[in-house]
């Protein structure tokens, strides 16, 4: 039973990270105001949100199964407060930090209409810190984190997210950038 | 009193989600901003057929620039949930 929980804990962690990676890419695409092939803008927005929520569910399963598993020696405090864990406390602590950031981003995301754009956006910027922290946690803490297949995937997703961030910072990022340049200076 | 969709121009950034969801009511100008197909540019009358799409647009507008005004009781301008 323990073996199974532990295996499930690892797999759900990877699934969660992969989904968060997609969500970050979709969030950036959403911000650009562009469509993706046949997908309209509102679909990208919904996909971004729903994939983020699904990733959060897997994050819950990841932490939940490792809490129940005796091998990981995780307790409730480690889930909320970073760097106190028994097993590789630094790398596990990064996971805790990422979890706290995800909780803040998801709650403020769902309450966006109540909190207002400014608060939502201020917290939403934390995603740019959360993603690399989660990735570092997976590499440093996971049993398979330094395995070859995982490192290949990690390099590919760093390239994808890095590329998207560079695009985000470029002058022609917004769909309307061309039309508006010159006009409103 | 009929419901109208109010566009807050201080917030709208012309991201075009509302124009996709309400193609019958809103077109898009060259800079991406929504333009009412008829009537008032800022307070757009919503017919019964567009009510649901208008609620979606309010929920999804990335800048929270949209709300419903009028329509009598129960209309807080905010969609339920989310
Ligand atoms: C309930 C969950 C969420 C909701 C409702 C939500 C909603 C949104 C919205 C509306 C935007 C567009 C903001 C704008 O255009 O001004 C956005 C952007 C973005 N989101 Fe989310 N989001 C959620 C969760 C997440 C999570 C968990 C992540 C990270 C994994 C994430 C990453 C991003 C990124 C990277 C952007 C682009 C930000 C920028 O560069 O300006 N989101 N999100
Ligand atoms: S969805 Fe919002 S920001 Fe985008 S064009 Fe419509 S009102 Fe403006």
């Amino acid at each position: 039973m323990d073996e199974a929980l532990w295996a499930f804990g690892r797999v759900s962690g990877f699934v969660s990270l992969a989904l968060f990676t997609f969500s970050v890419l979709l969030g950036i695409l959403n911000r650009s105001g562009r469509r993706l092939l046949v997908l309209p803008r509102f679909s990208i927005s919904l996909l971004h949100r729903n994939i983020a929520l699904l990733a959060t569910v897997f994050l819950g399963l990841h932490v939940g199964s490792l809490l129940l598993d005796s091998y990981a020696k995780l307790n409730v405090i480690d889930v909320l407060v970073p760097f106190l864990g028994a097993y590789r406390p630094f790398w596990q602590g990064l996971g805790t930090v990422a979890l706290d950031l995800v909780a803040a981003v998801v709650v403020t995301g769902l309450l966006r209409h109540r909190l207002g754009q400014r608060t939502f956006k201020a917290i939403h910027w934390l995603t740019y810190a959360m993603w690399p922290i989660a990735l570092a946690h997976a590499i440093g803490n996971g049993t398979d984190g330094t395995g070859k297949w995982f490192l290949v995937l990690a390099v590919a997703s760093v390239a994808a997210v890095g590329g998207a961030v560079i695009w985000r910072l470029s002058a022609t990022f917004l769909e309307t950038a061309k039309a508006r340049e010159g006009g409103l200076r | 009193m009929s419901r109208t969709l109010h566009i807050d121009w201080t917030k709208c950034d012309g991201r075009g989600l509302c124009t996709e969801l309400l193609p019958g009511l809103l077109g898009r100008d060259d800079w991406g901003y929504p333009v009412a197909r008829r009537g008032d540019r800022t307070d757009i009358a919503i017919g019964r057929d567009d009510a649901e799409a208008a609620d979606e647009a309010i929920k999804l507008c990335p800048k929270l620039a949209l709300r419903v005004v009028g329509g009598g009781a129960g209309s807080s301008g905010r969609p339920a949930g989310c």
Side-chain angles (χ1 to χ4, degrees):
Chain A
M1 185 61 203
D2 252 21
E3 275 291 297
L5 274 175
W6 187 56
F8 183 78
R10 282 150 58 206
V11 171
S12 51
F14 287 125
V15 172
S16 177
L17 181 60
L19 291 170
F20 274 124
T21 306
F22 278 116
S23 183
V24 167
L25 295 174
L26 285 166
I28 293 173
L29 180 64
N30 182 23
R31 179 65 183 86
S32 81
R34 288 169 202 271
R35 277 182 293 218
L36 181 64
L37 307 175
V38 297
L39 283 183
R41 299 171 181 85
F42 60 83
S43 303
I44 293 170
S45 180
L46 285 171
L47 267 180
H48 163 60
R49 185 193 71 188
N50 292 346
I51 290 183
L53 291 176
L54 194 62
T56 308
V57 169
F58 274 94
L59 180 56
L61 294 173
H62 170 62
V63 176
S65 55
L66 292 178
L67 262 179
L68 296 177
D69 164 58
S70 56
Y71 188 78
K73 296 196 187 68
L74 204 59
N75 61 45
V76 180
I77 294 180
D78 297 334
V79 173
L80 299 171
V81 186
F83 309 122
L84 302 175
Y87 176 71
R88 300 190 194 169
F90 174 70
W91 299 107
Q92 189 178 91
L94 292 183
T96 307
V97 172
L99 176 96
D100 292 342
L101 293 177
V102 167
V105 168
V106 168
V107 169
T108 53
L110 294 175
L111 295 177
R112 190 168 67 105
H113 280 263
R114 251 165 247 216
L115 298 169
Q117 185 72 0
R118 209 171 276 251
T119 312
F120 161 73
K121 208 59 220 232
I123 305 288
H124 225 72
W125 283 111
L126 293 174
T127 51
Y128 287 112
M130 167 257 160
W131 187 81
I133 291 174
L135 182 69
H137 158 74
I139 294 174
N141 210 33
T143 315
D144 310 310
T146 45
K148 193 164 157 229
W149 64 269
F150 182 71
L151 287 180
V152 169
L153 276 178
V155 168
S157 36
V158 167
V161 172
V165 168
I166 291 170
W167 178 53
R168 170 78 175 91
L169 297 171
S170 67
T172 52
F173 172 70
L174 290 179
E175 183 198 24
T176 47
K178 267 228 169 61
R180 290 182 193 175
E181 76 180 6
L184 286 171
R185 246 182 294 200
Chain B
M1 193 179 140
S2 73
R3 303 200 315 156
T4 61
L5 184 68
H6 178 81
I7 304 179
D8 183 341
W9 295 110
T10 64
K11 293 183 178 160
C12 174
D13 188 32
R15 297 279 193 80
L17 275 82
C18 56
T19 50
E20 285 176 335
L21 287 162
L22 295 160
L25 297 184
L26 298 169
R28 237 183 149 197
D29 73 9
D30 290 347
W31 294 271
Y33 293 97
V35 190
R37 294 206 187 275
R38 25 178 196 284
D40 193 89
R41 204 185 153 161
T42 299
D43 288 286
I44 297 121
I46 324 169
R48 184 168 301 176
D49 295 346
D50 294 314
E52 216 171 296
D55 283 341
E56 277 301 293
I58 293 169
K59 267 192 232 170
L60 290 177
C61 170
K63 307 299 269 183
L64 300 180
L66 298 172
R67 69 199 147 88
V68 159
V69 293
S75 152
S76 63
R78 270 188 199 135
C82 197

